[in-house]
Amino acid sequence: QVQLEESGGGLVQAGGSLRLSCAASGRVRSFNEMGWYLQSPGKQRELVATIASGGLANYADSVKGRFSISRDNAKNTVFLQMNSLKPEDTGVYYCNVRFTGLWRRVDEVWGQGTQVTVSS
């Protein structure tokens, strides 16, 4: 069973910064793509950024140049550095980790979510 532990959300003023982290644990063959998704009030969950095990990153257009995703493969942890935050970045950020299980089944798990509130 794979578990995720998220941390780093909070309240910040517009223009400020926050860093989210998500640590994955469990008996798997490999942790593959890791990423962050945002669910804003009244909206569907949407992709913020993902990073492959080799380090290739993908960003939503709305965060390019402001957010940076990285990972520490030795610790199975993914980070999201959020700079120049805007009120529209407000919402619950969910960590998503895709993995290959011991029996070679590819699956994914979601974190519990961490609240980010950006005040204007």
Side-chain angles (χ1 to χ4, degrees):
Q1 183 178 358
V2 175
Q3 294 184 324
L4 303 181
E5 184 174 346
E6 299 176 358
S7 62
L11 172 65
V12 65
Q13 288 188 331
S17 298
L18 283 174
R19 188 184 194 220
L20 307 181
S21 62
C22 172
S25 61
R27 295 187 65 197
V28 300
R29 284 187 175 272
S30 63
F31 289 108
N32 307 325
E33 183 179 271
M34 308 176 89
W36 292 94
Y37 292 72
L38 167 63
Q39 187 156 20
S40 301
K43 295 185 178 180
Q44 290 188 332
R45 194 174 299 185
E46 59 185 9
L47 179 146
V48 175
T50 61
I51 185 166
S53 55
L56 183 64
N58 177 52
Y59 297 93
D61 288 342
S62 60
V63 306
K64 285 180 180 177
R66 299 188 299 122
F67 291 11
S68 178
I69 191 170
S70 61
R71 62 191 285 169
D72 182 339
N73 288 334
K75 297 181 179 179
N76 300 320
T77 301
V78 61
F79 305 96
L80 185 68
Q81 178 65 42
M82 305 186 292
N83 299 326
S84 303
L85 281 160
K86 304 176 180 180
E88 50 263 44
D89 296 321
T90 294
V92 180
Y93 284 74
Y94 293 92
C95 176
N96 174 270
V97 173
R98 299 178 183 178
F99 61 92
T100 301
L102 294 179
W103 305 108
R104 300 186 185 277
R105 175 182 171 181
V106 178
D107 207 338
E108 65 176 355
V109 62
W110 290 89
Q112 79 281 3
T114 184
Q115 176 71 41
V116 171
T117 303
V118 184
S119 63
S120 57

